[in-house]
């Protein structure tokens, strides 16, 4: 057989065996094979039948485990699934090596189309926020509501603390960083990540810290770990430079789904100042502002984020809506609005912006919000 006749081999079939991924109490993991990608899906069995589906998408360097606490908080409200994006968590790299925001969005869409779970309540954090914004813009039929936690949308003045992450996407930087940090322990690396992502790293329990170290040690054994990080970082940088209809802010304007925005005042990666711009840009938005939270509010304040999401469902009439009827209604609404957008542009819908609510929750009164006051 000549070299041109060799059968194709997927990335998933040639990976080394490493330690298994941790599965939390009440969670299940499964692998889903799709054209060009294999995705690991983390789920919680629904407490009853008929719950509306929800899908969660993590950020750069994260995994589906980032959503475990929020998924547990939303038991009984939604039927939760969280993806490991290609090259992250327990998902192997994509066969085509495409780690762009569009490539990740395509993976999410492929999964939702194959699973026939849409429309879903879609969640995204950081890179996942950019990815799910693009999904909601181009496939409104797949999204009931959109919840964005510190979404990675373009900023003119990027925070200094976010610069090293952005630089990771430039050629040679990942290999340079690997050489510089080769003597760092997993504990040191995890402490650095927690210091960057949490408003207060002291909120991380010793048990959670140990799990994070074990997961990082597992990932560092994967030959594609740094490549996935570097290429996804480059994908964010490239997405920031896109203009016209493909620009992320322009696509945010096109999102039809009711949107909950969550921003942390101590976020070192996404500017807190972007919260108001996001609230003005998404048509039907609600803003939850957490001054003491960092980049991963769903991990620091899962109860508060869950309460805000429940209020979103109440405000939009989604709470308790039967799944079948709800899916048909959302599809009909999205089809009608998408048709109107195509004919009349975004101008007619922009007037609905600013109709949402804005709340600021400090660490001191977070418990009051969780109690519903």
């Amino acid at each position: 057989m000549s070299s041109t006749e060799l059968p194709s081999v997927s990335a998933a079939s040639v990976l080394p065996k490493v330690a298994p991924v941790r599965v939390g109490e009440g969670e299940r993991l499964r692998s889903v094979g799709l054209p060009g990608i294999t995705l690991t899906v983390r789920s919680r069995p629904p407490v009853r039948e008929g719950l509306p589906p929800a899908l969660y998408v993590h950020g750069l360097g994260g995994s589906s485990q980032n959503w475990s606490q929020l998924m547990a908080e939303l038991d009984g409200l939604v039927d939760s699934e969280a993806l490991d994006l290609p090259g992250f968590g327990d998902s192997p790299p994509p066969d085509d090596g495409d780690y762009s925001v569009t490539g990740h969005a395509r993976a999410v869409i492929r999964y939702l189309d194959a699973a026939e779970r849409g429309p879903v309540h879609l969640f995204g954090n950081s890179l996942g926020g950019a990815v799910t914004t693009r999904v909601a813009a181009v496939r409104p039929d797949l999204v009931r509501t959109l919840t964005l936690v510190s979404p990675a949308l373009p900023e003119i003045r990027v925070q200094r603390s976010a610069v090293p992450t952005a630089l990771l996407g430039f050629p040679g930087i990942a290999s340079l960083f690997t050489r510089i940090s080769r003597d760092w322990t997993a504990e040191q690396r995890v402490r650095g990540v927690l210091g960057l992502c949490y408003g207060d790293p002291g909120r991380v329990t010793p048990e959670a810290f140990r799990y994070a170290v074990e997961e990082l040690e597992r990932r560092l054994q994967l030959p594609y770990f740094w490549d996935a990080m570097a290429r996804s970082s480059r994908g964010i940088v490239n997405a920031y430079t896109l203009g016209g209809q493909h620009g992320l802010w322009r696509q945010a304007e096109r999102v039809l789904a009711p949107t909950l925005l969550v921003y942390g005042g101590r976020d070192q990666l996404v500017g807190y100042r972007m919260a108001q711009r996001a609230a003005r840009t998404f048509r039907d938005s609600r803003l939850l502002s957490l001054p003491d939270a960092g980049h991963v509010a769903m991990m620091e304040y899962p109860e508060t984020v869950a309460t805000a999401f429940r209020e979103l469902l109440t405000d939009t009439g989604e709470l308790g809506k039967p799944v079948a009827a709800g899916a048909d209604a959302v599809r009909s609404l999205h089809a009608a609005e998408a048709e109107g957008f195509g004919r009349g542009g975004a101008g007619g819908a922009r007037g609905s912006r600013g109709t949402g609510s804005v709340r600021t929750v400090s660490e001191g009164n977070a418990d009051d919000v969780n109690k519903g006051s």
Side-chain angles (χ1 to χ4, degrees), residues 11-344:
S13 64
V14 295
L15 296 178
K17 298 297 182 182
V18 296
V21 172
R22 178 178 176 272
V23 182
E25 183 178 355
E27 295 182 339
R28 291 186 287 197
L29 281 185
R30 73 181 191 278
S31 182
V32 178
L34 298 168
I37 54 173
T38 299
L39 299 176
T40 296
V41 181
R42 183 179 302 267
S43 63
R44 295 185 64 86
V47 298
R48 65 176 183 276
E49 293 185 1
L51 290 176
L55 186 71
Y56 307 76
V57 183
H58 62 81
L60 180 68
S63 75
S64 57
Q65 293 184 61
N66 295 164
W67 298 102
S68 290
Q69 292 169 280
L70 183 61
M71 289 167 64
E73 289 291 334
L74 296 180
D75 269 353
L77 191 63
V78 293
D79 180 357
S80 291
E81 291 187 343
L83 293 180
D84 286 336
L85 289 172
F88 294 94
D90 204 35
S91 293
D95 289 352
D96 60 5
D98 186 358
Y99 289 99
S100 67
V101 170
T102 297
H104 285 313
R106 190 178 297 120
V108 173
I109 290 171
R110 282 179 185 170
Y111 174 71
L112 286 174
D113 279 340
E116 297 184 341
R117 281 171 56 86
V120 299
H121 296 293
L122 190 59
F123 294 72
N125 168 236
S126 191
L127 165 63
V131 169
T132 52
T133 294
R134 184 151 288 174
V135 171
V138 301
R139 288 293 304 273
D141 59 303
L142 294 177
V143 184
R144 293 171 85 127
T145 66
L146 180 63
T147 297
L148 303 176
V149 181
S150 296
L153 301 176
E155 301 181 43
I156 296 176
R157 293 185 295 112
V158 179
Q159 298 185 103
R160 289 184 180 180
S161 50
V163 170
T165 303
L167 288 176
L168 189 62
F170 287 87
I173 297 297
S175 59
L176 174 62
F177 181 77
T178 302
R179 291 196 299 272
I180 292 173
S181 63
R182 64 177 177 271
D183 295 329
W184 295 3
T185 66
E187 289 84 353
Q188 289 173 318
R189 295 174 189 270
V190 168
R191 287 193 182 94
V193 170
L194 295 179
L196 186 63
C197 292
Y198 274 70
D200 177 11
R203 297 180 68 88
V204 180
T205 66
E207 181 182 46
F209 179 82
R210 185 174 70 255
Y211 289 148
V213 170
E214 292 173 357
E215 172 61 11
L216 180 57
E217 290 174 337
R218 184 193 70 83
R219 288 202 214 177
L220 288 172
Q221 297 179 52
L222 298 171
Y224 57 84
F225 173 79
W226 285 113
D227 185 59
M229 288 287 290
R231 289 175 181 250
S232 292
S233 296
R234 193 178 310 150
I236 296 175
V237 173
N238 291 341
Y240 275 31
T241 63
L242 287 177
Q245 293 297 322
H246 298 291
L248 284 171
W249 283 113
R250 183 65 64 84
Q251 293 198 321
E253 293 177 348
R254 294 170 53 187
V255 171
L256 303 173
T259 302
L260 171 62
L261 301 164
V262 183
Y263 280 82
R266 296 182 180 177
D267 194 331
Q268 299 181 62
L269 295 171
V270 169
Y272 190 50
R273 63 185 179 278
M274 303 306 295
Q276 291 298 333
R277 178 178 181 181
R280 293 192 302 267
T281 301
F282 286 89
R283 304 177 181 208
D284 184 7
S285 66
R286 292 141 186 86
L287 173 61
L288 175 62
S289 180
L290 297 168
D292 297 317
H295 191 60
V296 287
M298 74 285 187
M299 299 174 73
E300 286 192 90
Y301 297 96
E303 294 179 2
T304 306
V305 175
T307 297
F309 175 69
R310 180 182 290 273
E311 291 179 359
L312 171 68
L313 299 192
T314 300
D315 291 345
T316 58
E318 287 282 340
L319 189 63
K321 182 184 292 185
V323 173
D328 292 341
V330 171
R331 285 194 181 99
S332 298
L333 173 62
H334 282 164
E337 289 186 326
E339 183 179 8
F341 179 87
R343 291 178 178 177

